[in-house]
Structures are given as C-alpha cells and as structure tokens.
Amino acid sequence: MLNLHRAEFIRSAVKPADFPHDGLPQIVFAGKSNVGKSSTINKLLGRKNFARVGNQPGKTIHINFFQIDEKAYFVDLPGYGYAKVSKAERDRWGKLMDLYFASDLITLGIQIVDMRHKPTQDDQTMAHWFLSTGMPFLVIANKLDKVKKSEREGNLAVIRETLRLPEDVPVIAFSAEKGDGRETVLEIIQAAACPAEPEE
Ligand code: GDP
C-alpha cells in the first residue's frame, strides 16, 4: 500500500531529461485550469496546501512531480484551456505534452473535468491522448457538490459520451471540496501503483 502521508515534491520538469526515469509508476493528473486539479490532489493526499491551489492560470508550463512513499509519482500536468494564454505559451504547452506522452512513462491517467459542464474541445483532446497511450485511464467528474442530485446521472452520461470513453473507463463523481469519490479513486490508484502486493 502507498502511504499517502509520505508525499514529497521532487521537481518541476520543462524537458524530458527532467522526467524521472527510475521505473516507479507515474499517476498522471490532467485538467483545464480551475477545474480543481490541485484541490483534487490535495484531497487525495489529505493535505491542505500541498499542490498549490489557485495557481495563476497559464503561468506555469511545467510538469510537477511528487513522490509518494518512495513508491510512485503523482504527476501534475500544467492546466490547459485558459483563454488569456498567448499562442507561444499554448505551443510550449503542446510541445511539453507531446514529449511527456511520447516518453511512455504513464502508469495511470486521471483526467479531471467539471461535472457541471459538457467537456470542452481541449478536454476531448486530452482524453484522446490518454486513450491513445493504451494505459489505464479514469475520469474524475469534479465539483459534484455543485450539481443538483437530479442532474448528476445525466451529466455523467454527457461526460462519458463527449469524451467517447470506452465502457471500461470509469467516470467517478468527485468533490475535492467535500471528499466524495475519494475512496474509489484511491483504490484505483493503489491498484495501479502497487499491483503485485497481496491484500493484508
Ligand atoms: P486548478 O487550477 O485545476 O488546480 O484548480 P484549483 O484546485 O486551484 O481550484 C480552482 C477553484 O475551484 C478553487 O477556488 C477551489 O476551491 C474550487 N474547487 C475545486 N474543487 C472543488 C469542488 O469539488 N467543489 C467546489 N465547490 N469547489 C471546488
């Protein structure tokens, strides 16, 4: 089992030589700016201010690597889809993503979308990239606490349909604010990060 209390920032990567190549599983988090990616990582780790919440959108074109329990990495991809980003910055983002996805380092892809809305074009592109790797993939539908009970099922169906997810890709209703969905996501992360360990 991963001890989530043992989490440590390793580095911000801007080029492939910065990516860890030590064979540890890499659990990758992607999402558009402001979707709650930092909040989700913090909630999963049971921390308040570990991954920075409220990062200025578009300012950070690097990939953050956090080592968990010396057994796996949480990989925080730079947010996308922020309107006020220059073409140069968007190009840098695309190039870094190309390099990381081509590196074959991804163990489990986790894409965070906003449960209130239909996924954007950028969300669709990102989902396609993850699906193309052939690695295990799951979608977190965040901000569950902001969606009326009566709309939840329908919104999840729209997300699944818009991202063209195969049946075996889970879409997990989640609230980084309240903690809903946390246990389900952690089980999948544990299984991906420590596959060979027998149950205790
Ligand atoms: P990031 O840019 O994707 O890292 O997003 P942040 O984690 O900085 O969150 C963006 C904003 O959304 C912050 O004001 C968070 O408090 C808020 N937020 C994130 N997750 C949730 C959630 O599940 N529910 C609610 N109500 N707000 C959330």
Side-chain angles (χ1 to χ4, degrees):
M1 293 287 278
L2 284 181
N3 180 354
L4 298 165
H5 299 294
R6 300 189 62 220
E8 188 189 355
F9 172 76
I10 300 294
R11 73 175 77 95
S12 290
V14 296
K15 56 182 191 303
D18 302 333
F19 305 156
H21 286 86
D22 53 12
L24 294 184
Q26 301 194 6
I27 317 292
V28 180
F29 295 82
K32 72 177 174 186
S33 299
N34 229 31
V35 71
K37 182 159 53 65
S38 315
S39 305
T40 296
I41 293 172
N42 287 333
K43 194 62 174 183
L44 292 173
L45 294 176
R47 296 278 190 101
K48 280 256 179 291
N49 289 306
F50 189 65
R52 259 219 351 263
V53 174
N55 261 331
Q56 218 182 338
K59 285 293 172 204
T60 44
I61 311 220
H62 50 237
I63 300 176
N64 285 325
F65 288 88
F66 304 98
Q67 203 178 59
I68 315 297
D69 200 17
E70 294 172 23
K71 289 186 184 143
Y73 291 99
F74 277 15
V75 183
D76 184 8
L77 297 184
Y80 52 81
Y82 184 62
K84 288 181 193 154
V85 163
S86 68
K87 172 150 191 326
E89 279 175 296
R90 238 193 306 268
D91 288 350
R92 271 205 299 145
W93 182 88
K95 192 162 177 219
L96 189 59
M97 290 303 100
D98 276 344
L99 292 166
Y100 184 64
F101 276 81
S103 71
D104 222 11
L105 290 166
I106 299 173
T107 307
L108 169 68
I110 300 180
Q111 182 173 357
I112 303 160
V113 297
D114 190 325
M115 187 161 166
R116 296 172 296 178
H117 310 298
K118 185 178 166 173
T120 64
Q121 190 62 53
D122 289 331
D123 286 329
Q124 294 174 48
T125 302
M126 185 52 88
H128 180 73
W129 282 1
F130 275 120
L131 290 168
S132 311
T133 68
M135 297 312 283
F137 178 48
L138 73 93
V139 173
I140 286 179
N142 191 35
K143 309 203 181 182
L144 169 71
D145 58 288
K146 291 201 167 181
V147 182
K148 282 190 213 144
K149 281 213 167 68
S150 59
E151 293 174 354
R152 290 178 180 176
E153 217 170 302
N155 288 18
L156 291 174
V158 168
I159 289 167
R160 177 172 286 288
E161 203 173 295
T162 310
L163 297 180
R164 298 165 190 263
L165 302 176
E167 285 282 315
D168 63 340
V169 173
V171 180
I172 297 163
F174 192 93
S175 170
E177 180 99 0
K178 309 276 185 208
D180 308 74
R182 180 174 182 267
E183 292 308 316
T184 310
V185 173
L186 284 177
E187 270 173 37
I188 299 172
I189 289 175
Q190 294 279 6
C194 308
E197 283 187 31
E199 297 272 323
E200 281 182 27

